[in-house]
Amino acid sequence: MHARRVDSLALDNYQRAARVILANHLVTRTFPDRIALPLIRRWATELREDLAELFGYRLEVTETTARLFPVVDRLDSGKPARAVTERIFDRRRYAYLALALAALGRAGDQITLSELADQVAAYTGRVDGLELSPDRAADRDAFVDAVGWLAHRGALTLADGDAGGWAADPEAGEALYDIDRPVVFALFRPPRALQHLHSVNGLLTEDAMAHGPAANAAAADAARRVRRGLVERPVVYAEDLAYDERPLLMQDRVVADVELFTGLRAERRAEGVALIDVSGRLSDVRFPGTGTLAQVALLLVGEIADRVLDIDNPVPVRPGAPDPALALAEQLDGAIPESTVFVPLADLPSTDPEVVEQDSDPDPDAPASATVRANYPFVEASWVGETVQALTDRYGVTFAAQWQADVPGLTRQVSALLERLRLVQVVEDGLIILPALARYRGAVVTVRTKRAAELFVTASDTIGADSVGTEGI
């Protein structure tokens, strides 16, 4: 492992490079900033070998891009694509993004926004239920979000005009973009030919990196799966792992390797391990954080901890909910077009030795996660709603205006945030409280007095809650 041989004076710089590539997967001359690519290029050889050894990842570095090809062990709906305005991508935006990439792959060095829209609109005609009509404002807004996502990552650079003007009136507005072809080609590099897959689970594959006896290779693969979980999930609970992976989560060497590579600190509990990122360069969601949702979530966590720890009024317990990745796979598989090229090609035998036809029955030799879930505290949905309402009554003057008027919506979004952080599981009738939530008990809240100039609160304002003894996940 190269990180063990890096000079102590340079180790912090190497760990920053590791966090940047793990957090972004694609680094360009401008994304996520202008210093990231030179940093990755400085440590390219060491990063390439350590990423392969520790995680089974492949890193490609050129003069203009650095692209990490991760191995995905499980589906995760908690990391959606977001527009530059932080709007979460829906199915239409994802479709426009994929079709825009296809069009840019066949384009020259420049393209206008209207030309790109015309090409994407032509492609949508081949997909049932999808359309891009420049006459509809909703379609234009969704398309501009997809183009903005590409521009933010350096695939497109605005040369003239304004995308916002085109979105407002395509007859009057226009934008001209320079195309960075290496970035376009680096963006979409799936590990398998998508047309040959029967299920999205076909993307959840791993090429064994270990050499030697089969037992040693299997142990090395299991260790890499555990390390991947540590850098990809907010918390890794032992019960979510296969039986052969659970002992590895408790091994000092496995966790220490990830700590040394990333510069993060592992926090251990009997139930699992979380990497604590105080740098803010690896986490895609910082918690505790600013903004109404993050601050209300912290307030709610304190209320939940107080209730769970009240020995005079014990809360009920119930087993943890099934892995949501299973339901997500069913939803994604249900969205595969059946009337276009996918099903006909999926039924054809593949000539690519790396493309494996997916069976409907699970592999009996594959490591299986436990089916028996531990019991955890449970709080009712009615109590959660009443508690958020009480917090709104108490602190609502400092909330963003949209949430002051929509407490049920605030409750849903806060619950979703806590679930994404693996602090709770959202079920139909309430919240199942997971062990990592306990690290935020005892949070102390202070509310600042608002000045007259602050009467109009925006979505970016916070409620002034400070936590004592907590760090970002």
Side-chain angles (χ1 to χ4, degrees), residues 97-137:
L97 175 60
L99 295 176
L101 276 171
L104 292 173
R106 297 174 174 88
D109 295 329
Q110 287 188 321
I111 193 168
T112 64
L113 189 59
S114 59
E115 289 173 341
L116 183 58
D118 289 341
Q119 293 185 37
V120 171
Y123 291 156
T124 62
R126 306 178 189 178
V127 182
D128 291 343
L130 182 64
E131 184 181 7
L132 170 56
S133 174
D135 295 333
R136 284 199 296 265

Side-chain angles (χ1 to χ4, degrees), residues 447-470:
V447 180
R448 58 187 175 86
T449 303
K450 298 188 69 62
R451 300 187 299 272
E454 299 177 279
L455 291 178
F456 298 99
V457 183
T458 66
S460 62
D461 289 327
T462 73
I463 64 169
D466 296 322
S467 60
V468 175
T470 62

Side-chain angles (χ1 to χ4, degrees), residues 227-296:
R227 296 190 197 101
R228 289 197 292 264
L230 289 170
V231 297
E232 292 170 358
R233 308 179 207 170
V235 184
V236 177
Y237 291 109
E239 75 165 6
D240 292 336
L241 301 177
Y243 285 111
D244 61 335
E245 298 167 4
R246 295 181 185 183
L248 297 172
L249 185 63
M250 299 298 114
Q251 285 187 8
D252 290 339
R253 176 62 182 266
V254 171
V255 178
D257 284 344
V258 180
E259 287 183 303
L260 180 62
F261 182 68
T262 62
L264 307 185
R265 177 175 58 84
E267 185 172 290
R268 299 171 181 261
R269 294 181 181 272
E271 300 85 358
V273 178
L275 284 183
I276 309 303
D277 177 20
V278 297
S279 71
R281 295 303 299 269
L282 182 58
S283 303
D284 56 338
V285 176
R286 191 166 180 82
F287 186 79
T290 60
T292 297
L293 292 180
Q295 298 289 4
V296 174

Side-chain angles (χ1 to χ4, degrees), residues 57-311:
Y57 293 168
R58 178 165 56 92
L59 175 66
E60 292 183 0
V61 180
T62 69
E63 292 184 1
T64 58
T65 63
R67 181 71 164 94
L68 183 68
F69 295 90
V71 176
V72 182
D73 297 306
R74 66 198 304 273
L75 299 175
D76 183 4
S77 62
K79 300 177 181 179
R82 295 174 182 269
V84 292
T85 58
E86 288 298 309
R87 182 186 292 110
I88 294 176
F89 271 37
D90 53 16
R91 293 176 66 177
R92 176 168 50 179
R93 285 171 170 80
Y94 278 120
Y96 291 166
L97 175 60
L99 295 176
L101 276 171
L104 292 173
R106 297 174 174 88
D109 295 329
Q110 287 188 321
I111 193 168
T112 64
L113 189 59
S114 59
E115 289 173 341
L116 183 58
D118 289 341
Q119 293 185 37
V120 171
Y123 291 156
T124 62
R126 306 178 189 178
V127 182
D128 291 343
L130 182 64
E131 184 181 7
L132 170 56
S133 174
D135 295 333
R136 284 199 296 265
D139 285 8
R140 296 197 302 271
D141 289 342
F143 178 68
V144 168
D145 281 345
V147 171
W149 189 93
L150 293 168
H152 183 51
R153 283 153 182 79
L156 295 171
T157 301
L158 185 66
D160 192 17
D162 175 25
W166 181 88
D169 183 358
E171 297 296 330
E174 185 58 283
L176 176 66
Y177 288 97
D178 295 326
I179 302 173
D180 192 323
R181 302 186 68 80
V183 177
V184 171
F185 293 140
L187 270 170
F188 184 66
R189 297 276 296 279
R192 295 290 184 267
L194 300 185
Q195 294 93 332
H196 290 268
L197 299 181
H198 286 280
S199 168
V200 68
N201 288 320
L203 295 174
L204 307 182
T205 57
E206 176 180 6
D207 294 328
M209 297 291 298
H211 301 281
N216 293 339
D221 287 345
R224 282 194 293 272
R225 288 194 296 271
V226 172
R227 296 190 197 101
R228 289 197 292 264
L230 289 170
V231 297
E232 292 170 358
R233 308 179 207 170
V235 184
V236 177
Y237 291 109
E239 75 165 6
D240 292 336
L241 301 177
Y243 285 111
D244 61 335
E245 298 167 4
R246 295 181 185 183
L248 297 172
L249 185 63
M250 299 298 114
Q251 285 187 8
D252 290 339
R253 176 62 182 266
V254 171
V255 178
D257 284 344
V258 180
E259 287 183 303
L260 180 62
F261 182 68
T262 62
L264 307 185
R265 177 175 58 84
E267 185 172 290
R268 299 171 181 261
R269 294 181 181 272
E271 300 85 358
V273 178
L275 284 183
I276 309 303
D277 177 20
V278 297
S279 71
R281 295 303 299 269
L282 182 58
S283 303
D284 56 338
V285 176
R286 191 166 180 82
F287 186 79
T290 60
T292 297
L293 292 180
Q295 298 289 4
V296 174
L298 183 62
L299 291 169
L300 180 59
V301 162
E303 297 293 332
I304 292 173
D306 289 343
R307 184 175 183 196
V308 170
L309 295 174
D310 186 355
I311 59 176

